[in-house]
Every structure is written in structure tokens, then in C-alpha cells.
Amino acid sequence: KPIRMQLGQPTADNIKPKLLQADGHVVMVSPDLHGGTDQLLVHFDDRVEFNRRQTAGGQVASTEQDRKEATEQKRTDVPKSTLLPGSPLGSSHPLEVIARKIKVQVTQDEGADSPRVKELWCQDQVRVRHRQDKELSPLVITGTALHVKNRSTNDQLLTLVGAPAHIVDSRLQIEGKHIQLDRQKNTLLVKGKNLLRLPVKQSLDGEKLEQSQMLDIWSSEQLFFDGQTARFLGDVKAELEKNQMHCQQMIAQLTKRVSFLDNERHGPIELATVKCQEGVDFESTHYQNQRLMEIRKGHFWEFDINQVTGETVAKGPGQIQVWRRGRGKRAALSPAAVVQANAPLQSNVTDWEFMRINFVGRTEGNMKARHSTFHDRVEIIYGPVDGPREKLNADDLPKDAGWM
């Protein structure tokens, strides 16, 4: 039958276990921590006190509740014990932990009525599930190893290792080989290759999407996230639907702060600003009814975009290339165009139009208002092309093309 151990009071025979070990299909059940493992090790420090219900002969008292649980145990063939207090995540919801090996360090703070989990180690096939607000999906953590240092109710340091490891909830997803989460400081650090996934309703160039899409941002060296600002380092790539951006450093700021302590929903979270540095390349494609309508490509030294206001700033030297499906007849822009009073310019029919803008200084504009200003040694080539990605040569312009 299950053995019940109440932590917090001395035992009748002054027994103070130092180590508890259980092997083979072990299940832990407590108000704060549920777990399943092949091997469980629980270490108790000297400050932990126990109370074990006993008869005068020293045997475990058999009550109706004990018999009921023993019957349930026999039916499911799963041992149960209620011995682990104090959720390592400092929450009222129990933490569900599954791993091949689980080790727990239990302590009791001076003046406290009950013990708490001081540290938790999990190894091999680690899966942690933490229920949050009713409207939010559970927080799910997976990896090959997990270490939780529980310093106080809202002060935990989590270190997760995997190939890769994952932290997933309804607000965002984090992926990496080495993830460290400090709940009190509300910071998350991923060393090495990493991925941040965030549901957004706007494209990278600020246009509204018909439905929410996942924004993926990768980097090769490091990700640091404080709940609102994510800093990526090393070969950074952002991808959203048909939009891509690549640089060496990126700072992405959200419209609202994600709290690792507060799991309640506070409205939708969107991407507010993006700052790219050290060689920025971007490409976006636009479709209408599954028909390609426009391609945009660009290269800058630095690029900033505010998705809330639509404002953009870029530092050169830089280049922008645009291929847009033609709108029928276009007036000739070449020097050969003849201007006559009360007579329209000669026009041709074209399927695609191409424009390239080179500049050395900087450019600022607004994506929503669709205007940009370019500074210093600006060169523009415009004209018809036979198809997307075909370019024009300034030294050999076709009819209806222009250079400025």
C-alpha cells in the first residue's frame, strides 16, 4: 500500500531520511509536482522534518483512504507517494515532469512550516508541462537535460539542454541547444544556434496579413530576450511567409512585454520594431489569387523598420530592386520620347516593370504611405522587362526604359 509521509513535523521515532530512491515506473504525485520516471532520487537536507502516520507497533496506519489508494495502485500497478512539496516554478498549478531520471533536492527554510524543492535535475527524454491561464495553451519544455534551481517563490533559474531543446507556449516558441531562463530577471539566453517563433499579423514590411502567421528568426551564435526585446547575434535570418531578411545582428522589439512570471493573457503581441545591422539583405514576394505580382530585393548596411508607424530608415551604400507586374500600357520614359503639344506620349504594352535604385548615403520613408527619400549619389533605372528577376543595363536600355 502507499506510504504517506507528511513533511513539516518530527516523526514519533525521530526518523530523518537522507535519501529516497525508487526504481522502475515511478510516479510522483503532490499538489505542486507530478512526475513520472524510471529512476527517482530525493535528497533531504538536515533541516527537513517528517511526520509519518503510525500505530503503536510502529506500522503504517491502515485507514479507509489508505485501502482505497492501495486498491487503486493494484489496479494501475503504479506506485504513488505524496512527498514533494513546493513547485519548482513557484506556481499554484502543479508542474508535470517526465524523464528517464529525476533527482530532487528538498530543503526547509528557517521558520517555514513546510519544506520546498530546492533543486530539480532531469535527464533523458525530458518533457515538462505547466498549465497556465485557461485561455492559454500549456507551457511545454522538452530536451535531454533540465536543471531547475528554485531560490524562492518567483525566483527560479532553469537550464535546458537538447539537440535541440524547446520551450513552447501560445505566445512564442524558443529553440536551441542550451537555454537558460531566469524567471525573476525575466530574461532568456540561448547559446549557439537558436530559433524564435512568434505569431504575428503583419509582414516584415508592415503590411497586414489575412491571418496570423509564424515569424521565424534564426541566429548562429546567441539570442538574448528580456520579454520585450530580442537580440540576435551571428548570421541572423528572419522569415515570414514570402518575406526574408538576413543580417549579422538583429534587434526585434515586441509591442508588449512577455512575463515569465505572469502567465495571464494581456492582449495580442505583435512585432513593433526591427533593427538589422552589418550587411542587410531582404527579399519579399507578393501574390494575388496565387499569382505573382511583385518581387522586392534590397541590400543595406543598416536597416530599421517601425511596424506600428511604417517608418523606415536605412544606411548605405545600398540598393533596392523591384519587379512589378505591368498595368498595361506605360508611357515611354527614354530620352527618345518626343513631347508634342496636345498629343499623348508613345506607349507600349509590357508584362513586367523593373526599377533599381542605388544610393550611397541614407534613405528614409514610410512603408504604409509608400514613399521614400534617397540621399547621396542616387541612381535610378526604370523600364519594362520580359519577366520577373530580369534586369536592365544602363548602357543598353530598351525602348521605354529610363536612367536618372
Side-chain angles (χ1 to χ4, degrees), residues 108-113:
Q108 187 163 345
D109 298 328
E110 186 176 354
D113 295 331

Side-chain angles (χ1 to χ4, degrees), residues 157-376:
L157 181 64
L158 288 78
T159 302
L160 180 65
V161 178
H166 298 85
I167 297 179
V168 179
D169 75 358
S170 60
R171 297 166 296 184
L172 53 83
Q173 301 177 22
I174 302 289
E175 179 180 304
K177 293 184 177 181
H178 188 281
I179 304 175
Q180 190 173 77
L181 171 64
D182 191 317
R183 294 189 73 223
Q184 184 182 55
K185 295 180 180 179
N186 207 72
T187 59
L188 185 145
L189 175 65
V190 186
K191 298 179 180 179
K193 292 182 179 181
N194 57 80
L195 167 64
L196 169 66
R197 307 196 74 203
L198 178 73
V200 297
K201 294 184 178 180
Q202 293 187 99
S203 65
L204 288 175
D205 52 14
E207 293 188 2
K208 290 186 177 181
L209 302 173
E210 294 182 0
Q211 58 184 5
S212 179
Q213 301 285 345
M214 294 300 293
L215 168 64
D216 294 338
I217 306 179
W218 296 267
S219 73
S220 62
E221 296 181 21
Q222 180 177 290
L223 162 61
F224 181 78
F225 182 53
D226 66 3
Q228 188 162 15
T229 302
R231 300 175 183 271
F232 300 86
L233 180 62
D235 197 22
V236 185
K237 180 182 178 181
E239 185 172 312
L240 174 62
E241 203 177 26
K242 304 298 182 179
N243 300 272
Q244 294 182 354
M245 190 175 295
H246 181 269
C247 59
Q248 292 305 309
Q249 294 189 51
M250 179 182 291
I251 302 175
Q253 188 171 29
L254 308 182
T255 54
K256 296 181 180 180
R257 185 172 183 266
V258 175
S259 173
F260 299 120
L261 292 176
D262 182 6
N263 294 316
E264 296 181 358
R265 184 186 294 273
H266 295 285
I269 298 175
E270 293 288 339
L271 195 62
T273 62
V274 177
K275 183 180 183 67
C276 299
Q277 298 174 306
E278 298 184 17
V280 183
D281 293 288
F282 79 87
E283 179 172 340
S284 66
T285 56
H286 297 270
Y287 288 80
Q288 184 175 345
N289 298 325
Q290 298 182 344
R291 188 186 187 200
L292 179 62
M293 301 300 294
E294 184 179 276
I295 300 175
R296 289 176 175 265
K297 293 183 66 176
H299 176 79
F300 316 107
W301 178 246
E302 290 186 5
F303 180 66
D304 299 354
I305 179 170
N306 188 317
Q307 288 204 318
V308 178
T309 64
E311 295 179 352
T312 62
V313 177
K315 293 182 180 181
Q319 181 185 88
I320 297 177
Q321 299 179 85
V322 180
W323 291 266
R324 184 180 293 111
R325 191 174 289 275
R327 300 166 184 166
K329 294 183 178 181
R330 280 289 184 181
L333 297 177
S334 67
V338 179
V339 179
Q340 297 179 357
N342 300 321
L345 294 176
Q346 184 181 1
S347 60
N348 290 325
V349 176
T350 178
D351 289 332
W352 284 89
E353 301 161 358
F354 171 74
M355 180 174 63
R356 187 186 73 205
I357 303 174
N358 290 5
F359 64 99
V360 175
R362 56 183 276 127
T363 175
E364 61 271 345
N366 191 291
M367 297 294 294
K368 296 183 179 181
R370 290 190 173 274
H371 72 78
S372 297
T373 302
F374 299 87
H375 302 271
D376 298 335

Side-chain angles (χ1 to χ4, degrees), residues 63-135:
T63 65
E64 184 63 31
Q65 181 66 21
D66 289 333
R67 287 191 292 272
K68 181 179 179 181
E69 293 190 4
T71 303
E72 181 68 18
Q73 174 190 337
K74 184 176 181 180
R75 181 167 61 249
T76 61
D77 194 30
V78 176
K80 296 181 179 181
S81 61
T82 56
L83 52 84
L84 297 178
S87 169
L89 290 187
S91 169
S92 58
H93 299 300
L95 187 68
E96 302 172 12
V97 181
I98 297 176
R100 296 293 298 273
K101 296 180 180 180
I102 297 178
K103 184 171 71 171
V104 182
Q105 177 73 43
V106 178
T107 188
Q108 187 163 345
D109 298 328
E110 186 176 354
D113 295 331
S114 60
R116 64 178 177 87
V117 174
K118 182 179 180 181
E119 290 190 69
L120 172 69
W121 294 265
C122 302
Q123 289 184 336
D124 297 335
Q125 302 178 20
V126 179
R127 181 179 176 84
V128 178
R129 186 176 182 272
H130 189 226
R131 186 166 62 86
Q132 305 179 83
D133 183 84
K134 294 181 179 179
E135 297 182 0

